[in-house]
Amino acid sequence: MMKSLFTITVLAGSILLAPATGFAADQQQDQMRNQIYGSQLMTEQERNEYRNQMRAAKTAEERERIRNEHHKQMKIRAQEQGVTLPDEPPMSGKGMGPGMSPGMGQGKGMGR
């Protein structure tokens, strides 16, 4: 009896949490899409091709070359469509550096 109750509880919990995990996956996909310079000007197929090129690159130099070439193409596309993009490409996948994370500034915080 206890085993069946436990099984039912686990199944019910799984069903309730399933939509939340789908939402998290959608958010992660949106974040990945926004990491590509000019992604708003690209089709889903173009974004996938760009990601595949970056994954296939053997060296950091090759990834940087692909990134810079893509940046030039997106600047041209943006100009043709009358859209403004930043002049500089985004940081080249090196992260934010030691000890830094999004939203973690150097201020006093929390009324201190």
Side-chain angles (χ1 to χ4, degrees):
M1 178 71 178
M2 289 298 284
K3 194 173 186 180
S4 341
L5 183 58
F6 177 75
T7 303
I8 291 170
T9 304
V10 169
L11 287 173
S14 299
I15 291 169
L16 291 173
L17 290 177
T21 56
F23 178 72
D26 290 344
Q27 278 188 321
Q28 185 178 15
Q29 193 172 31
D30 287 343
Q31 288 174 346
M32 285 175 43
R33 182 178 302 125
N34 291 333
Q35 289 178 356
I36 298 174
Y37 181 80
S39 64
Q40 67 273 31
L41 304 175
M42 301 169 71
T43 65
E44 187 67 30
Q45 180 179 352
E46 289 173 321
R47 286 188 291 268
N48 289 333
E49 288 171 4
Y50 176 76
R51 285 186 198 105
N52 289 335
Q53 281 183 321
M54 293 297 280
R55 287 184 191 118
K58 304 273 187 246
T59 64
E61 290 79 17
E62 188 176 355
R63 282 187 292 278
E64 191 65 26
R65 181 191 55 75
I66 292 167
R67 199 175 285 114
N68 288 333
E69 182 179 306
H70 172 76
H71 178 77
K72 289 176 189 172
Q73 291 172 349
M74 289 301 104
K75 289 294 283 185
I76 292 168
R77 188 177 291 185
Q79 189 174 19
E80 289 171 352
Q81 295 182 16
V83 176
T84 304
L85 292 176
D87 289 331
E88 295 299 316
M91 275 179 46
S92 60
K94 293 184 178 106
M96 300 176 79
M100 295 299 289
S101 62
M104 299 299 288
Q106 298 295 320
K108 293 179 181 181
M110 299 298 292
R112 294 183 192 154

